[in-house]
C-alpha cells in the first residue's frame, strides 16, 4: 500500500508526498491529506515506545511516503539534522511536576513548538529542490512565532529565499529580534507600516498575482503544510511511549492549546493511526470559535480579540477543514459545499449526531485571561515551574483531567510581559535569548502596499 495525497475538496489529482509538501495548499483551495491513514498494530506501538525521538520520527514519517519518493536513509539524515538543533537530547522531554505531566515542546531554536515542524520542513524543502531542481521563494506574514520559526528553519539553505512580513513595532521585542538578527543572505525581513492583517492581505495579493507567483516560485510555510502535521504527530507517540513503557492497553489524554487546529489535528492523526488516546482536550483563549463548535456544532467566526496568548488569537482555524473532512465521512463534495457556505454566510453547522461523535474524543474549553494568569501564578507558587500563557490555557482546560499530558508550546521567557503580570517579575532569559537585543539586525521597513513589497522582492532577488 502506498499513500497518495488528495484534497479535502476532491479536485486535485493524487500526489506523491514530495509533491504534497511542495504544493502546501491544495490548488482547489482545500487542504491535502493522505488517501488512507496507515494503521499501527499494538506490537508495533510497543516497539516504538523504546525508540529515540529521531528514530521514531523516521518510523512515523516513512509510512506517509514511498521509498522511491523519499528513501529511508535520506529521511533519517534529514531527521537527524532537524532534531540535532534542539537543546535536549530527548528533543521533546516529558517532565513530571507537581503531580502533572508536561510535554516540553519549546527546546528548538526559537523556543516554541513550531520549531519541531519547521526545522523538518526546511530540510525537506532543501532536499526536494536539490533533487528535483528549481528554487523556492517563501513568503509569509507573521504576528510573531511562525515567522521566526520559519526563518530559523530555512536560514542558509540553498535554493530557498524567505520573505517574512511582520507589523512594524507590533510584535514583541524578543520576537522581532529573533527574526531580524538572522543575517543569512537568504533571509529577508520586512516590517510593514500597518497591522498583521495588512501583512496577510499583501501576501494573499501576491499569491493571487499568478505571473509573479510562477516567476518566483512562491511557497507558503503556514500550518496547512502536511509535513508540519506529520512532524507534530511524532511527539504524541513519543509522549505515550514515555508514559506507557509500551503497554498498548495504556490510554492517555492530551491537553492542547489551540489556534489553527494544527497541533491538535496532529494528535487526532496519531489517534486515527492507532495511538491509544483517551481524550483530546482542546483549549482556546477568548477567541473560542473551536470551543463553540465542539459545544454546539456551529462553526462561525467572531471578532478577534487580543489576549495574553497571542499565537492563539485566531477566529478562522485553517486546519479545521481537515478534521471536518473526516467527521463528514471523507465526503469531499460536502466539505466543498460547507466551505463555500462558510465563505458566504460566515457560519456553518454539522448535524447533532456528528457533534456527539466528535464529543466522544474531544473535550473543548475556553479559558479567560483571569484564569490564565491565575494558572501561571498558582502553579509557580506550588512548584516553582513557570508556564507560558499558551501552555497555561491548556493546563487550565485540563483541570478535571489531572493525568493528561499537557503540551507546553512555548518557553515562558518568550512571553515575559504576561508572565510578569502573573508573578510580579519577568522570567530569567534562557541562553538562546541572552545578548539577542545587542546583536546586529537587518530589516526593511516598507509601506503596507502590495506594489511596494513586490518591487522590494524583485529588487532584492535581482
Ligand atoms: C502557534 C501556537 C499555538 C497554536 O497552535 P495551532 O497549531 O495553531 O493550534 C499555541 N501556542 C504557541 C506558543 C504557538 O506559537
Amino acid at each position: 500500500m502506498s499513500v497518495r495525497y488528495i484534497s479535502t475538496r476532491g479536485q486535485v489529482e493524487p500526489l506523491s508526498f514530495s509533491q504534497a509538501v511542495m504544493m502546501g495548499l491544495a490548488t482547489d483551495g482545500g487542504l491535502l491529506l493522505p488517501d488512507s491513514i496507515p494503521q499501527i498494530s499494538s506490537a508495533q506501538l510497543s516497539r516504538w515506545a523504546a525508540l529515540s525521538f529521531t528514530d521514531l520520527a523516521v518510523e512515523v514519517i516513512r509510512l506517509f511516503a514511498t521509498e522511491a519518493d523519499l528513501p529511508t536513509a535520506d529521511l533519517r539524515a534529514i531527521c537527524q539534522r532537524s532534531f540535532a538543533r534542539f537543546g535536549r537530547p530527548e528533543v521533546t522531554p516529558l517532565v513530571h511536576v507537581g503531580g502533572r505531566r508536561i510535554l516540553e515542546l519549546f527546546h528548538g531554536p526559537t523556543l516554541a513548538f513550531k520549531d519541531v515542524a519547521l526545522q523538518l520542513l526546511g530540510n525537506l524543502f532543501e532536499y526536494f529542490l536539490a533533487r528535483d531542481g528549481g528554487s523556492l521563494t517563501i513568503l509569509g506574514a507573521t504576528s510573531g512565532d511562525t515567522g521566526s520559526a520559519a526563518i530559523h528553519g530555512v536560514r542558509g539553505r540553498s535554493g530557498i529565499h524567505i520573505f517574512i512580513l511582520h507589523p512594524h513595532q507590533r510584535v514583541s521585542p524578543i520576537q522581532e529580534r529573533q527574526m531580524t538578527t538572522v543575517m543569512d543572505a537568504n533571509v529577508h525581513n520586512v516590517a510593514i507600516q500597518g497591522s498583521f492583517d495588512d501583512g496577510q492581505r499583501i501576501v494573499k495579493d501576491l499569491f493571487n498575482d499568478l505571473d509573479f507567483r510562477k516567476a518566483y516560485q512562491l511557497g507558503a510555510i503556514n500550518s496547512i503544510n502536511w509535513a508540519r502535521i506529520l512532524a507534530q504527530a511524532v511527539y504524541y507517540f513519543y509522549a505515550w511511549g514515555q508514559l506507557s513503557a509500551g503497554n498498548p492497553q495504556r490510554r492517555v489524554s492530551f491537553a492542547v492549546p489551540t489556534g489553527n487546529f494544527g497541533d491538535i489535528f496532529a494528535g487526532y492523526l496519531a489517534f486515527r493511526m492507532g495511538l491509544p488516546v483517551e481524550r483530546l482536550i482542546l483549549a482556546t483563549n477568548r477567541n473560542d470559535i473551536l470551543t463553540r463548535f465542539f459545544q454546539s456544532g456551529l462553526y462561525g467566526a467572531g471578532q478577534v480579540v487580543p489576549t495574553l496568548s497571542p499565537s492563539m488569537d485566531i477566529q478562522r482555524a485553517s486546519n479545521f477543514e481537515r478534521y471536518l473532512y473526516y467527521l463528514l465521512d471523507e465526503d469531499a463534495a460536502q466539505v466543498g459545499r460547507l466551505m463555500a457556505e462558510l465563505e458566504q454566510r460566515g457560519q456553518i453547522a454539522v448535524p447533532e449526531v456528528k457533534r456527539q461523535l466528535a464529543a466522544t474524543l474531544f473535550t473543548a474549553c475556553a479559558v479567560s485571561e483571569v484564569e490564565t494568569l491565575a494558572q501561571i501564578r498558582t502553579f509557580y507558587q506550588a512548584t516553582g515551574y513557570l508556564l507560558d500563557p499558551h501552555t497555561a490555557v491548556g493546563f487550565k482546560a485540563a483541570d478535571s483531567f489531572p493525568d493528561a499530558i499537557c503540551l507546553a508550546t512555548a518557553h515562558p521567557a518568550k512571553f515575559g510581559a504576561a508572565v510578569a503580570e502573573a508573578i510580579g517579575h519577568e522570567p530569567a532569559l534562557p541562553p538562546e535569548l541572552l545578548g539577542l537585543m545587542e546583536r546586529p539586525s537587518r530589516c526593511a521597513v516598507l509601506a503596507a502596499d502590495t506594489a511596494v513589497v513586490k518591487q522590494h522582492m524583485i529588487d532584492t532577488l535581482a
Side-chain angles (χ1 to χ4, degrees), residues 183-201:
M183 302 296 270
D184 299 74
N186 71 329
V187 172
H188 315 288
N189 279 285
V190 176
I192 291 292
Q193 291 169 317
S195 65
F196 169 60
D197 290 337
D198 289 323
Q200 274 204 309
R201 174 180 49 78

Side-chain angles (χ1 to χ4, degrees), residues 44-111:
Q44 203 169 354
L45 262 178
S46 299
R47 279 197 301 276
W48 280 8
L51 297 181
S52 71
F53 185 95
T54 300
D55 289 342
L56 181 59
V58 174
E59 293 307 311
V60 172
I61 297 167
R62 69 195 285 253
L63 297 173
F64 289 85
T66 59
E67 185 66 20
D69 192 31
L70 181 56
T72 302
D74 294 350
L75 173 62
R76 186 170 302 282
I78 287 171
C79 287
Q80 278 163 351
R81 243 180 297 140
S82 303
F83 303 123
R85 297 177 74 174
F86 282 68
R88 295 291 164 85
E90 310 95 309
V91 182
T92 60
L94 179 69
V95 300
H96 300 257
V97 184
R100 304 287 296 260
R101 304 181 168 119
I102 304 171
L103 183 62
E104 295 185 341
L105 303 175
F106 52 73
H107 294 291
T110 72
L111 308 179

Side-chain angles (χ1 to χ4, degrees), residues 40-342:
I40 312 304
S41 68
S42 301
Q44 203 169 354
L45 262 178
S46 299
R47 279 197 301 276
W48 280 8
L51 297 181
S52 71
F53 185 95
T54 300
D55 289 342
L56 181 59
V58 174
E59 293 307 311
V60 172
I61 297 167
R62 69 195 285 253
L63 297 173
F64 289 85
T66 59
E67 185 66 20
D69 192 31
L70 181 56
T72 302
D74 294 350
L75 173 62
R76 186 170 302 282
I78 287 171
C79 287
Q80 278 163 351
R81 243 180 297 140
S82 303
F83 303 123
R85 297 177 74 174
F86 282 68
R88 295 291 164 85
E90 310 95 309
V91 182
T92 60
L94 179 69
V95 300
H96 300 257
V97 184
R100 304 287 296 260
R101 304 181 168 119
I102 304 171
L103 183 62
E104 295 185 341
L105 303 175
F106 52 73
H107 294 291
T110 72
L111 308 179
F113 86 94
K114 292 185 172 76
D115 287 325
V116 177
L118 284 164
Q119 286 294 319
L120 180 82
L121 188 60
N123 280 303
L124 284 173
F125 279 155
E126 185 176 60
Y127 173 82
F128 291 135
L129 287 172
R131 184 188 70 188
D132 304 334
S135 62
L136 191 65
T137 305
I138 294 168
L139 172 64
T142 186
S143 56
D145 281 349
T146 305
S148 58
I151 286 170
H152 285 260
V154 303
R155 64 183 294 183
R157 297 195 184 283
S158 46
I160 304 175
H161 281 272
I162 182 166
F163 288 81
I164 293 292
L165 278 47
H166 70 264
H168 189 42
Q169 293 175 345
R170 293 197 207 175
V171 297
S172 82
I174 284 182
Q175 287 177 323
E176 197 255 333
R177 285 289 155 144
Q178 281 187 315
M179 294 189 278
T180 60
T181 57
V182 179
M183 302 296 270
D184 299 74
N186 71 329
V187 172
H188 315 288
N189 279 285
V190 176
I192 291 292
Q193 291 169 317
S195 65
F196 169 60
D197 290 337
D198 289 323
Q200 274 204 309
R201 174 180 49 78
I202 293 168
V203 167
K204 208 169 160 196
D205 285 350
L206 291 174
F207 271 92
N208 286 333
D209 184 338
L210 295 184
D211 292 336
F212 182 68
R213 178 174 177 173
K214 191 144 181 283
Y216 287 87
Q217 297 291 325
L218 292 192
I221 36 80
N222 39 19
S223 62
I224 47 156
N225 198 300
W226 177 254
R228 287 187 61 175
I229 301 291
L230 208 45
Q232 290 168 202
V234 174
Y235 49 69
Y236 286 87
F237 285 101
Y238 183 75
W240 175 83
Q242 300 293 299
L243 208 59
S244 68
N247 172 8
Q249 309 302 323
R250 182 76 158 83
R251 279 151 54 100
V252 297
S253 298
F254 294 90
V256 190
T258 304
N260 264 322
F261 206 76
D263 208 3
I264 198 162
F265 183 81
Y268 177 73
L269 175 67
F271 167 74
R272 291 289 305 259
M273 290 170 71
L275 187 71
V277 176
E278 179 89 43
R279 297 209 73 77
L280 289 173
I281 300 152
L282 178 151
T284 57
N285 61 28
R286 282 171 59 211
N287 298 291
D288 62 350
I289 178 171
L290 288 166
T291 297
R292 281 183 282 125
F293 171 77
F294 284 96
Q295 290 173 354
S296 71
L298 285 178
Y299 184 78
Q303 280 288 87
V304 176
V305 290
T307 71
L308 297 165
S309 44
S311 299
M312 311 196 309
D313 291 347
I314 287 167
Q315 284 287 16
R316 184 67 71 86
S318 55
N319 265 291
F320 181 69
E321 183 170 340
R322 285 192 166 115
Y323 177 65
L324 200 59
Y325 176 81
Y326 289 114
L327 189 61
L328 299 175
D329 308 312
E330 308 184 25
D331 181 347
Q334 201 186 348
V335 172
R337 277 197 301 278
L338 278 174
M339 295 320 285
E341 190 182 326
L342 181 64

